[in-house]
Structure formats: C-alpha cells, structure tokens
Amino acid sequence: MRVLCGHGGGRSFPCLGNKEIGEKLFISEQTVKNHLHNIFDKLGVSDRLELALYAIHHRLIDQA
C-alpha cells in the first residue's frame, strides 16, 4: 500500500500512477498493471479505492 498511495516515512504524497510506481521499483508499467490485477483478483476488489478500503477494514494500514 505504501507504493500505491505514496505513504512512507510518516508523510503522505499523492497516489502514484502505474508508470511512476514502475520507475520507483525498476519494473515496467505493464508489470505494475499485472501485479495490481493479480492483487485485485485475489482480494476480490476492482480498483485502488476498494483496495485501500479493504486494507483499512482489515487493519492492514492506519486510517490517516
């Protein structure tokens, strides 16, 4: 989740796009899309908002 919404070091940043995530992780934008698709499928969510809500609901991240 830190990468998806740019949370790190106690500071919040605007959510990153697939291209920016790929650049930070040294992977292609398509690889980011593939990973997100797999995560969405496994958790039964359809987008990043639902993923964030899932993480909050299951106490995987703090509400900030």
Side-chain angles (χ1 to χ4, degrees):
M1 289 304 297
R2 288 183 189 146
V3 173
L4 292 178
C5 287
H7 295 286
R11 300 181 306 192
S12 295
F13 302 96
C15 287
L16 301 174
N18 293 340
K19 183 176 180 179
E20 291 82 12
I21 293 169
E23 289 171 356
K24 288 191 174 287
L25 297 176
F26 305 104
I27 59 176
S28 73
E29 184 177 359
Q30 187 59 49
T31 300
V32 173
K33 290 178 183 180
N34 291 340
H35 286 313
L36 285 172
H37 177 77
N38 291 335
I39 291 167
F40 293 167
D41 281 352
K42 288 179 181 182
L43 297 179
V45 300
S46 60
D47 57 31
R48 291 180 192 210
L49 175 59
E50 286 186 20
L51 179 60
L53 294 173
Y54 177 96
I56 291 169
H57 179 74
H58 290 87
R59 299 178 187 259
L60 301 175
I61 60 172
D62 294 327
Q63 290 177 315

Tab-separated table of all heavy atoms in Angstrom:
chain	number	residue	atom	x	y	z
A	1	MET	N	0.814	-1.192	0.000
A	1	MET	CA	0.000	0.000	0.000
A	1	MET	C	0.859	1.258	0.000
A	1	MET	O	0.439	2.271	-0.499
A	1	MET	CB	-0.931	0.002	1.209
A	1	MET	CG	-2.053	-1.028	1.130
A	1	MET	SD	-3.092	-0.903	-0.319
A	1	MET	CE	-3.797	0.692	-0.105
A	2	ARG	N	2.019	1.201	0.581
A	2	ARG	CA	2.862	2.391	0.600
A	2	ARG	C	3.170	2.853	-0.810
A	2	ARG	O	3.170	4.040	-1.087
A	2	ARG	CB	4.157	2.104	1.349
A	2	ARG	CG	3.950	1.981	2.817
A	2	ARG	CD	5.262	1.774	3.535
A	2	ARG	NE	4.966	1.456	4.911
A	2	ARG	CZ	5.669	0.647	5.649
A	2	ARG	NH1	6.724	0.062	5.139
A	2	ARG	NH2	5.333	0.409	6.882
A	3	VAL	N	3.436	1.910	-1.680
A	3	VAL	CA	3.765	2.289	-3.053
A	3	VAL	C	2.525	2.810	-3.773
A	3	VAL	O	2.577	3.808	-4.479
A	3	VAL	CB	4.359	1.094	-3.824
A	3	VAL	CG1	4.540	1.430	-5.289
A	3	VAL	CG2	5.684	0.685	-3.207
A	4	LEU	N	1.388	2.173	-3.568
A	4	LEU	CA	0.178	2.564	-4.284
A	4	LEU	C	-0.247	3.992	-3.997
A	4	LEU	O	-0.728	4.693	-4.863
A	4	LEU	CB	-0.977	1.617	-3.949
A	4	LEU	CG	-0.836	0.190	-4.451
A	4	LEU	CD1	-2.036	-0.631	-4.003
A	4	LEU	CD2	-0.713	0.149	-5.950
A	5	CYS	N	-0.092	4.409	-2.761
A	5	CYS	CA	-0.539	5.757	-2.411
A	5	CYS	C	0.587	6.636	-1.896
A	5	CYS	O	0.337	7.696	-1.336
A	5	CYS	CB	-1.675	5.688	-1.393
A	5	CYS	SG	-3.207	5.141	-2.148
A	6	GLY	N	1.809	6.209	-2.047
A	6	GLY	CA	2.939	7.064	-1.715
A	6	GLY	C	3.104	7.371	-0.244
A	6	GLY	O	3.619	8.419	0.112
A	7	HIS	N	2.678	6.478	0.640
A	7	HIS	CA	2.857	6.703	2.067
A	7	HIS	C	4.201	6.143	2.481
A	7	HIS	O	4.530	5.015	2.182
A	7	HIS	CB	1.754	6.020	2.882
A	7	HIS	CG	0.403	6.589	2.622
A	7	HIS	ND1	0.021	7.802	3.110
A	7	HIS	CD2	-0.633	6.134	1.900
A	7	HIS	CE1	-1.224	8.054	2.717
A	7	HIS	NE2	-1.631	7.056	1.972
A	8	GLY	N	4.949	6.940	3.180
A	8	GLY	CA	6.237	6.457	3.649
A	8	GLY	C	6.900	7.477	4.537
A	8	GLY	O	6.736	8.674	4.351
A	9	GLY	N	7.597	7.025	5.518
A	9	GLY	CA	8.321	7.916	6.405
A	9	GLY	C	7.420	8.862	7.176
A	9	GLY	O	7.837	9.944	7.550
A	10	GLY	N	6.166	8.453	7.390
A	10	GLY	CA	5.254	9.300	8.140
A	10	GLY	C	4.653	10.434	7.336
A	10	GLY	O	3.901	11.246	7.854
A	11	ARG	N	4.969	10.519	6.060
A	11	ARG	CA	4.432	11.585	5.216
A	11	ARG	C	3.548	10.993	4.148
A	11	ARG	O	3.762	9.877	3.699
A	11	ARG	CB	5.568	12.364	4.545
A	11	ARG	CG	6.505	13.007	5.526
A	11	ARG	CD	7.582	13.770	4.822
A	11	ARG	NE	8.265	12.887	3.859
A	11	ARG	CZ	9.382	13.194	3.257
A	11	ARG	NH1	9.960	14.331	3.479
A	11	ARG	NH2	9.931	12.376	2.407
A	12	SER	N	2.552	11.756	3.740
A	12	SER	CA	1.649	11.299	2.683
A	12	SER	C	1.893	12.105	1.420
A	12	SER	O	2.101	13.311	1.475
A	12	SER	CB	0.198	11.466	3.111
A	12	SER	OG	-0.086	10.631	4.199
A	13	PHE	N	1.853	11.428	0.296
A	13	PHE	CA	2.028	12.046	-1.004
A	13	PHE	C	0.862	11.633	-1.879
A	13	PHE	O	0.198	10.638	-1.600
A	13	PHE	CB	3.348	11.596	-1.642
A	13	PHE	CG	4.546	11.902	-0.803
A	13	PHE	CD1	5.080	10.950	0.042
A	13	PHE	CD2	5.112	13.160	-0.846
A	13	PHE	CE1	6.178	11.244	0.828
A	13	PHE	CE2	6.220	13.459	-0.069
A	13	PHE	CZ	6.755	12.506	0.778
A	14	PRO	N	0.619	12.366	-2.959
A	14	PRO	CA	-0.463	11.950	-3.870
A	14	PRO	C	-0.222	10.535	-4.382
A	14	PRO	O	0.918	10.097	-4.492
A	14	PRO	CB	-0.373	12.961	-5.017
A	14	PRO	CG	0.360	14.125	-4.454
A	14	PRO	CD	1.289	13.562	-3.398
A	15	CYS	N	-1.307	9.832	-4.671
A	15	CYS	CA	-1.171	8.473	-5.199
A	15	CYS	C	-0.362	8.487	-6.488
A	15	CYS	O	-0.461	9.415	-7.286
A	15	CYS	CB	-2.546	7.857	-5.443
A	15	CYS	SG	-3.383	7.406	-3.923
A	16	LEU	N	0.412	7.461	-6.650
A	16	LEU	CA	1.267	7.337	-7.820
A	16	LEU	C	0.555	6.562	-8.917
A	16	LEU	O	-0.228	5.666	-8.647
A	16	LEU	CB	2.552	6.597	-7.448
A	16	LEU	CG	3.409	7.230	-6.359
A	16	LEU	CD1	4.559	6.299	-6.009
A	16	LEU	CD2	3.933	8.578	-6.790
A	17	GLY	N	0.871	6.898	-10.146
A	17	GLY	CA	0.353	6.154	-11.283
A	17	GLY	C	1.214	4.937	-11.540
A	17	GLY	O	2.294	4.772	-10.953
A	18	ASN	N	0.746	4.085	-12.420
A	18	ASN	CA	1.481	2.853	-12.737
A	18	ASN	C	2.882	3.144	-13.248
A	18	ASN	O	3.833	2.448	-12.897
A	18	ASN	CB	0.709	2.027	-13.764
A	18	ASN	CG	-0.589	1.502	-13.199
A	18	ASN	OD1	-0.778	1.410	-11.997
A	18	ASN	ND2	-1.506	1.156	-14.079
A	19	LYS	N	3.006	4.159	-14.072
A	19	LYS	CA	4.317	4.491	-14.636
A	19	LYS	C	5.291	4.906	-13.535
A	19	LYS	O	6.436	4.445	-13.496
A	19	LYS	CB	4.176	5.608	-15.664
A	19	LYS	CG	5.477	5.974	-16.343
A	19	LYS	CD	5.276	7.001	-17.423
A	19	LYS	CE	6.594	7.337	-18.090
A	19	LYS	NZ	6.432	8.315	-19.152
A	20	GLU	N	4.826	5.754	-12.603
A	20	GLU	CA	5.687	6.217	-11.517
A	20	GLU	C	6.058	5.080	-10.568
A	20	GLU	O	7.190	5.010	-10.095
A	20	GLU	CB	4.999	7.350	-10.743
A	20	GLU	CG	4.855	8.638	-11.510
A	20	GLU	CD	3.657	8.668	-12.459
A	20	GLU	OE1	2.798	7.774	-12.374
A	20	GLU	OE2	3.594	9.583	-13.282
A	21	ILE	N	5.107	4.191	-10.310
A	21	ILE	CA	5.390	3.030	-9.468
A	21	ILE	C	6.468	2.166	-10.128
A	21	ILE	O	7.431	1.753	-9.491
A	21	ILE	CB	4.121	2.197	-9.210
A	21	ILE	CG1	3.135	2.990	-8.345
A	21	ILE	CG2	4.472	0.867	-8.547
A	21	ILE	CD1	1.759	2.359	-8.247
A	22	GLY	N	6.312	1.919	-11.424
A	22	GLY	CA	7.299	1.132	-12.162
A	22	GLY	C	8.683	1.748	-12.118
A	22	GLY	O	9.683	1.052	-11.922
A	23	GLU	N	8.737	3.065	-12.274
A	23	GLU	CA	10.030	3.745	-12.229
A	23	GLU	C	10.676	3.603	-10.854
A	23	GLU	O	11.880	3.374	-10.754
A	23	GLU	CB	9.858	5.221	-12.582
A	23	GLU	CG	9.542	5.446	-14.039
A	23	GLU	CD	9.156	6.882	-14.369
A	23	GLU	OE1	9.050	7.715	-13.435
A	23	GLU	OE2	8.946	7.160	-15.563
A	24	LYS	N	9.903	3.715	-9.797
A	24	LYS	CA	10.447	3.591	-8.444
A	24	LYS	C	10.928	2.171	-8.146
A	24	LYS	O	11.873	1.985	-7.392
A	24	LYS	CB	9.418	4.017	-7.408
A	24	LYS	CG	9.185	5.509	-7.371
A	24	LYS	CD	8.379	5.897	-6.159
A	24	LYS	CE	8.283	7.395	-6.044
A	24	LYS	NZ	9.529	8.016	-5.626
A	25	LEU	N	10.258	1.184	-8.727
A	25	LEU	CA	10.608	-0.217	-8.464
A	25	LEU	C	11.479	-0.833	-9.557
A	25	LEU	O	11.816	-2.017	-9.481
A	25	LEU	CB	9.322	-1.045	-8.308
A	25	LEU	CG	8.434	-0.659	-7.134
A	25	LEU	CD1	7.155	-1.494	-7.144
A	25	LEU	CD2	9.176	-0.827	-5.824
A	26	PHE	N	11.814	-0.046	-10.587
A	26	PHE	CA	12.634	-0.516	-11.701
A	26	PHE	C	11.988	-1.694	-12.423
A	26	PHE	O	12.651	-2.688	-12.757
A	26	PHE	CB	14.052	-0.870	-11.237
A	26	PHE	CG	14.740	0.262	-10.525
A	26	PHE	CD1	14.870	0.254	-9.153
A	26	PHE	CD2	15.223	1.349	-11.235
A	26	PHE	CE1	15.481	1.299	-8.477
A	26	PHE	CE2	15.838	2.412	-10.585
A	26	PHE	CZ	15.970	2.382	-9.199
A	27	ILE	N	10.673	-1.589	-12.641
A	27	ILE	CA	9.921	-2.580	-13.408
A	27	ILE	C	9.079	-1.827	-14.435
A	27	ILE	O	8.888	-0.619	-14.325
A	27	ILE	CB	9.030	-3.477	-12.510
A	27	ILE	CG1	8.015	-2.641	-11.715
A	27	ILE	CG2	9.890	-4.315	-11.572
A	27	ILE	CD1	7.046	-3.461	-10.882
A	28	SER	N	8.563	-2.538	-15.413
A	28	SER	CA	7.779	-1.875	-16.449
A	28	SER	C	6.380	-1.520	-15.950
A	28	SER	O	5.881	-2.103	-14.976
A	28	SER	CB	7.662	-2.770	-17.687
A	28	SER	OG	6.772	-3.840	-17.428
A	29	GLU	N	5.772	-0.572	-16.627
A	29	GLU	CA	4.398	-0.195	-16.309
A	29	GLU	C	3.460	-1.394	-16.464
A	29	GLU	O	2.540	-1.586	-15.660
A	29	GLU	CB	3.952	0.946	-17.225
A	29	GLU	CG	2.574	1.475	-16.928
A	29	GLU	CD	2.200	2.659	-17.800
A	29	GLU	OE1	3.018	3.090	-18.638
A	29	GLU	OE2	1.077	3.159	-17.637
A	30	GLN	N	3.694	-2.225	-17.472
A	30	GLN	CA	2.852	-3.408	-17.679
A	30	GLN	C	2.988	-4.392	-16.527
A	30	GLN	O	2.008	-5.008	-16.113
A	30	GLN	CB	3.195	-4.099	-19.006
A	30	GLN	CG	2.249	-5.230	-19.348
A	30	GLN	CD	0.796	-4.775	-19.469
A	30	GLN	OE1	0.497	-3.803	-20.146
A	30	GLN	NE2	-0.102	-5.456	-18.788
A	31	THR	N	4.190	-4.540	-15.983
A	31	THR	CA	4.386	-5.422	-14.825
A	31	THR	C	3.605	-4.905	-13.631
A	31	THR	O	2.984	-5.685	-12.894
A	31	THR	CB	5.884	-5.552	-14.491
A	31	THR	OG1	6.560	-6.104	-15.621
A	31	THR	CG2	6.118	-6.435	-13.279
A	32	VAL	N	3.592	-3.602	-13.426
A	32	VAL	CA	2.801	-3.000	-12.346
A	32	VAL	C	1.326	-3.337	-12.549
A	32	VAL	O	0.643	-3.775	-11.618
A	32	VAL	CB	3.002	-1.471	-12.274
A	32	VAL	CG1	2.048	-0.842	-11.265
A	32	VAL	CG2	4.441	-1.126	-11.951
A	33	LYS	N	0.843	-3.162	-13.774
A	33	LYS	CA	-0.560	-3.469	-14.081
A	33	LYS	C	-0.876	-4.932	-13.798
A	33	LYS	O	-1.933	-5.258	-13.245
A	33	LYS	CB	-0.879	-3.137	-15.533
A	33	LYS	CG	-0.899	-1.649	-15.825
A	33	LYS	CD	-1.174	-1.406	-17.306
A	33	LYS	CE	-1.123	0.064	-17.644
A	33	LYS	NZ	-1.382	0.312	-19.066
A	34	ASN	N	0.046	-5.825	-14.184
A	34	ASN	CA	-0.158	-7.259	-13.952
A	34	ASN	C	-0.241	-7.561	-12.458
A	34	ASN	O	-1.109	-8.323	-12.011
A	34	ASN	CB	0.953	-8.080	-14.589
A	34	ASN	CG	0.906	-8.058	-16.099
A	34	ASN	OD1	-0.112	-7.756	-16.707
A	34	ASN	ND2	2.034	-8.367	-16.718
A	35	HIS	N	0.670	-6.977	-11.678
A	35	HIS	CA	0.661	-7.203	-10.234
A	35	HIS	C	-0.626	-6.677	-9.609
A	35	HIS	O	-1.240	-7.350	-8.764
A	35	HIS	CB	1.867	-6.548	-9.570
A	35	HIS	CG	3.159	-7.253	-9.806
A	35	HIS	ND1	3.323	-8.613	-9.673
A	35	HIS	CD2	4.373	-6.773	-10.167
A	35	HIS	CE1	4.579	-8.945	-9.943
A	35	HIS	NE2	5.233	-7.839	-10.251
A	36	LEU	N	-1.040	-5.487	-10.010
A	36	LEU	CA	-2.278	-4.920	-9.463
A	36	LEU	C	-3.477	-5.796	-9.819
A	36	LEU	O	-4.339	-6.052	-8.972
A	36	LEU	CB	-2.490	-3.491	-9.973
A	36	LEU	CG	-1.598	-2.436	-9.340
A	36	LEU	CD1	-1.756	-1.108	-10.072
A	36	LEU	CD2	-1.907	-2.270	-7.866
A	37	HIS	N	-3.533	-6.248	-11.058
A	37	HIS	CA	-4.630	-7.119	-11.488
A	37	HIS	C	-4.683	-8.385	-10.629
A	37	HIS	O	-5.767	-8.797	-10.183
A	37	HIS	CB	-4.460	-7.474	-12.968
A	37	HIS	CG	-5.495	-8.416	-13.480
A	37	HIS	ND1	-6.770	-8.008	-13.787
A	37	HIS	CD2	-5.447	-9.748	-13.718
A	37	HIS	CE1	-7.470	-9.070	-14.181
A	37	HIS	NE2	-6.686	-10.132	-14.163
A	38	ASN	N	-3.520	-8.988	-10.380
A	38	ASN	CA	-3.463	-10.197	-9.551
A	38	ASN	C	-3.905	-9.917	-8.121
A	38	ASN	O	-4.634	-10.712	-7.519
A	38	ASN	CB	-2.056	-10.796	-9.564
A	38	ASN	CG	-1.690	-11.387	-10.907
A	38	ASN	OD1	-2.551	-11.776	-11.681
A	38	ASN	ND2	-0.401	-11.436	-11.185
A	39	ILE	N	-3.476	-8.791	-7.571
A	39	ILE	CA	-3.883	-8.412	-6.209
A	39	ILE	C	-5.386	-8.195	-6.155
A	39	ILE	O	-6.064	-8.687	-5.246
A	39	ILE	CB	-3.129	-7.146	-5.752
A	39	ILE	CG1	-1.645	-7.452	-5.553
A	39	ILE	CG2	-3.746	-6.577	-4.473
A	39	ILE	CD1	-0.769	-6.227	-5.405
A	40	PHE	N	-5.928	-7.448	-7.126
A	40	PHE	CA	-7.370	-7.179	-7.157
A	40	PHE	C	-8.153	-8.485	-7.215
A	40	PHE	O	-9.133	-8.669	-6.490
A	40	PHE	CB	-7.743	-6.316	-8.359
A	40	PHE	CG	-7.216	-4.899	-8.327
A	40	PHE	CD1	-7.261	-4.128	-9.478
A	40	PHE	CD2	-6.694	-4.324	-7.186
A	40	PHE	CE1	-6.809	-2.816	-9.477
A	40	PHE	CE2	-6.223	-3.020	-7.172
A	40	PHE	CZ	-6.281	-2.268	-8.327
A	41	ASP	N	-7.727	-9.407	-8.076
A	41	ASP	CA	-8.413	-10.701	-8.215
A	41	ASP	C	-8.381	-11.502	-6.913
A	41	ASP	O	-9.401	-12.043	-6.487
A	41	ASP	CB	-7.793	-11.540	-9.332
A	41	ASP	CG	-8.245	-11.113	-10.715
A	41	ASP	OD1	-9.153	-10.266	-10.831
A	41	ASP	OD2	-7.666	-11.634	-11.698
A	42	LYS	N	-7.224	-11.575	-6.288
A	42	LYS	CA	-7.088	-12.373	-5.067
A	42	LYS	C	-7.898	-11.810	-3.911
A	42	LYS	O	-8.396	-12.569	-3.077
A	42	LYS	CB	-5.621	-12.484	-4.674
A	42	LYS	CG	-4.839	-13.392	-5.603
A	42	LYS	CD	-3.384	-13.491	-5.226
A	42	LYS	CE	-2.668	-14.388	-6.225
A	42	LYS	NZ	-1.269	-14.578	-5.897
A	43	LEU	N	-8.040	-10.488	-3.850
A	43	LEU	CA	-8.762	-9.867	-2.742
A	43	LEU	C	-10.223	-9.583	-3.066
A	43	LEU	O	-10.978	-9.174	-2.185
A	43	LEU	CB	-8.058	-8.575	-2.322
A	43	LEU	CG	-6.637	-8.750	-1.796
A	43	LEU	CD1	-6.039	-7.401	-1.430
A	43	LEU	CD2	-6.605	-9.698	-0.616
A	44	GLY	N	-10.609	-9.784	-4.318
A	44	GLY	CA	-11.996	-9.552	-4.707
A	44	GLY	C	-12.376	-8.083	-4.761
A	44	GLY	O	-13.510	-7.718	-4.452
A	45	VAL	N	-11.419	-7.245	-5.158
A	45	VAL	CA	-11.688	-5.818	-5.323
A	45	VAL	C	-11.515	-5.459	-6.791
A	45	VAL	O	-10.921	-6.217	-7.562
A	45	VAL	CB	-10.768	-4.954	-4.428
A	45	VAL	CG1	-10.973	-5.299	-2.949
A	45	VAL	CG2	-9.304	-5.107	-4.789
A	46	SER	N	-12.030	-4.281	-7.172
A	46	SER	CA	-11.979	-3.935	-8.592
A	46	SER	C	-11.120	-2.718	-8.915
A	46	SER	O	-10.852	-2.453	-10.080
A	46	SER	CB	-13.394	-3.705	-9.125
A	46	SER	OG	-14.011	-2.653	-8.434
A	47	ASP	N	-10.689	-1.984	-7.893
A	47	ASP	CA	-9.855	-0.811	-8.159
A	47	ASP	C	-9.073	-0.426	-6.911
A	47	ASP	O	-9.191	-1.062	-5.858
A	47	ASP	CB	-10.692	0.364	-8.670
A	47	ASP	CG	-11.807	0.771	-7.714
A	47	ASP	OD1	-11.649	0.630	-6.492
A	47	ASP	OD2	-12.848	1.243	-8.207
A	48	ARG	N	-8.252	0.619	-7.028
A	48	ARG	CA	-7.386	1.032	-5.920
A	48	ARG	C	-8.175	1.547	-4.723
A	48	ARG	O	-7.749	1.351	-3.585
A	48	ARG	CB	-6.405	2.099	-6.391
A	48	ARG	CG	-5.377	1.553	-7.346
A	48	ARG	CD	-4.433	2.636	-7.790
A	48	ARG	NE	-3.640	2.155	-8.903
A	48	ARG	CZ	-2.421	2.569	-9.146
A	48	ARG	NH1	-1.869	3.473	-8.405
A	48	ARG	NH2	-1.754	2.070	-10.169
A	49	LEU	N	-9.303	2.192	-4.979
A	49	LEU	CA	-10.121	2.662	-3.869
A	49	LEU	C	-10.624	1.486	-3.046
A	49	LEU	O	-10.510	1.484	-1.812
A	49	LEU	CB	-11.298	3.499	-4.375
A	49	LEU	CG	-12.296	3.941	-3.301
A	49	LEU	CD1	-11.614	4.784	-2.226
A	49	LEU	CD2	-13.450	4.695	-3.927
A	50	GLU	N	-11.163	0.483	-3.705
A	50	GLU	CA	-11.626	-0.702	-2.992
A	50	GLU	C	-10.469	-1.398	-2.278
A	50	GLU	O	-10.642	-1.923	-1.177
A	50	GLU	CB	-12.319	-1.680	-3.937
A	50	GLU	CG	-13.693	-1.227	-4.359
A	50	GLU	CD	-14.418	-2.274	-5.190
A	50	GLU	OE1	-14.050	-3.470	-5.140
A	50	GLU	OE2	-15.362	-1.888	-5.884
A	51	LEU	N	-9.296	-1.398	-2.890
A	51	LEU	CA	-8.121	-1.987	-2.256
A	51	LEU	C	-7.767	-1.234	-0.979
A	51	LEU	O	-7.488	-1.847	0.057
A	51	LEU	CB	-6.936	-1.987	-3.225
A	51	LEU	CG	-5.621	-2.554	-2.697
A	51	LEU	CD1	-5.780	-4.015	-2.284
A	51	LEU	CD2	-4.534	-2.403	-3.748
A	52	ALA	N	-7.793	0.091	-1.030
A	52	ALA	CA	-7.497	0.897	0.155
A	52	ALA	C	-8.532	0.650	1.248
A	52	ALA	O	-8.180	0.498	2.425
A	52	ALA	CB	-7.450	2.374	-0.213
A	53	LEU	N	-9.800	0.580	0.873
A	53	LEU	CA	-10.856	0.321	1.857
A	53	LEU	C	-10.713	-1.069	2.456
A	53	LEU	O	-10.922	-1.260	3.660
A	53	LEU	CB	-12.233	0.499	1.218
A	53	LEU	CG	-12.573	1.928	0.793
A	53	LEU	CD1	-13.888	1.958	0.016
A	53	LEU	CD2	-12.624	2.854	1.987
A	54	TYR	N	-10.351	-2.041	1.629
A	54	TYR	CA	-10.100	-3.407	2.109
A	54	TYR	C	-8.978	-3.381	3.149
A	54	TYR	O	-9.084	-3.995	4.215
A	54	TYR	CB	-9.725	-4.309	0.933
A	54	TYR	CG	-9.371	-5.722	1.319
A	54	TYR	CD1	-10.327	-6.728	1.255
A	54	TYR	CD2	-8.087	-6.068	1.738
A	54	TYR	CE1	-10.018	-8.042	1.609
A	54	TYR	CE2	-7.770	-7.366	2.091
A	54	TYR	CZ	-8.736	-8.345	2.028
A	54	TYR	OH	-8.427	-9.636	2.378
A	55	ALA	N	-7.894	-2.674	2.836
A	55	ALA	CA	-6.747	-2.615	3.742
A	55	ALA	C	-7.117	-1.950	5.060
A	55	ALA	O	-6.706	-2.415	6.128
A	55	ALA	CB	-5.597	-1.869	3.068
A	56	ILE	N	-7.911	-0.898	5.008
A	56	ILE	CA	-8.347	-0.226	6.235
A	56	ILE	C	-9.259	-1.145	7.036
A	56	ILE	O	-9.081	-1.312	8.249
A	56	ILE	CB	-9.048	1.103	5.909
A	56	ILE	CG1	-8.029	2.110	5.359
A	56	ILE	CG2	-9.760	1.661	7.145
A	56	ILE	CD1	-8.656	3.353	4.754
A	57	HIS	N	-10.224	-1.756	6.368
A	57	HIS	CA	-11.182	-2.640	7.033
A	57	HIS	C	-10.495	-3.816	7.721
A	57	HIS	O	-10.897	-4.244	8.807
A	57	HIS	CB	-12.218	-3.148	6.023
A	57	HIS	CG	-13.233	-4.075	6.610
A	57	HIS	ND1	-14.259	-3.631	7.417
A	57	HIS	CD2	-13.367	-5.416	6.529
A	57	HIS	CE1	-14.980	-4.671	7.803
A	57	HIS	NE2	-14.463	-5.768	7.269
A	58	HIS	N	-9.457	-4.338	7.102
A	58	HIS	CA	-8.736	-5.480	7.660
A	58	HIS	C	-7.523	-5.042	8.490
A	58	HIS	O	-6.675	-5.868	8.828
A	58	HIS	CB	-8.309	-6.430	6.535
A	58	HIS	CG	-9.466	-7.153	5.918
A	58	HIS	ND1	-10.202	-6.614	4.875
A	58	HIS	CD2	-10.027	-8.342	6.208
A	58	HIS	CE1	-11.161	-7.459	4.563
A	58	HIS	NE2	-11.089	-8.519	5.357
A	59	ARG	N	-7.463	-3.762	8.810
A	59	ARG	CA	-6.411	-3.191	9.652
A	59	ARG	C	-5.004	-3.468	9.122
A	59	ARG	O	-4.073	-3.740	9.888
A	59	ARG	CB	-6.553	-3.658	11.092
A	59	ARG	CG	-7.866	-3.229	11.709
A	59	ARG	CD	-8.004	-3.749	13.124
A	59	ARG	NE	-9.330	-3.457	13.633
A	59	ARG	CZ	-9.618	-2.458	14.448
A	59	ARG	NH1	-8.674	-1.636	14.852
A	59	ARG	NH2	-10.855	-2.291	14.886
A	60	LEU	N	-4.861	-3.422	7.812
A	60	LEU	CA	-3.554	-3.590	7.195
A	60	LEU	C	-2.793	-2.280	7.125
A	60	LEU	O	-1.579	-2.265	7.022
A	60	LEU	CB	-3.707	-4.181	5.785
A	60	LEU	CG	-4.410	-5.548	5.719
A	60	LEU	CD1	-4.609	-5.968	4.278
A	60	LEU	CD2	-3.625	-6.586	6.496
A	61	ILE	N	-3.540	-1.166	7.159
A	61	ILE	CA	-2.951	0.169	7.191
A	61	ILE	C	-3.751	1.013	8.171
A	61	ILE	O	-4.895	0.720	8.473
A	61	ILE	CB	-2.931	0.859	5.806
A	61	ILE	CG1	-4.340	1.008	5.245
A	61	ILE	CG2	-2.030	0.126	4.852
A	61	ILE	CD1	-4.400	1.838	3.989
A	62	ASP	N	-3.132	2.085	8.664
A	62	ASP	CA	-3.807	3.015	9.555
A	62	ASP	C	-4.657	3.975	8.749
A	62	ASP	O	-4.300	4.339	7.625
A	62	ASP	CB	-2.796	3.832	10.363
A	62	ASP	CG	-2.007	2.985	11.335
A	62	ASP	OD1	-2.580	2.006	11.847
A	62	ASP	OD2	-0.833	3.310	11.578
A	63	GLN	N	-5.757	4.408	9.339
A	63	GLN	CA	-6.556	5.456	8.725
A	63	GLN	C	-5.859	6.769	9.048
A	63	GLN	O	-5.656	7.110	10.204
A	63	GLN	CB	-7.971	5.484	9.274
A	63	GLN	CG	-8.795	4.306	8.855
A	63	GLN	CD	-10.161	4.351	9.501
A	63	GLN	OE1	-10.277	4.612	10.686
A	63	GLN	NE2	-11.185	4.084	8.721
A	64	ALA	N	-5.462	7.478	8.019
A	64	ALA	CA	-4.776	8.755	8.246
A	64	ALA	C	-5.382	9.848	7.428
A	64	ALA	O	-5.977	9.660	6.439
A	64	ALA	CB	-3.289	8.613	7.910
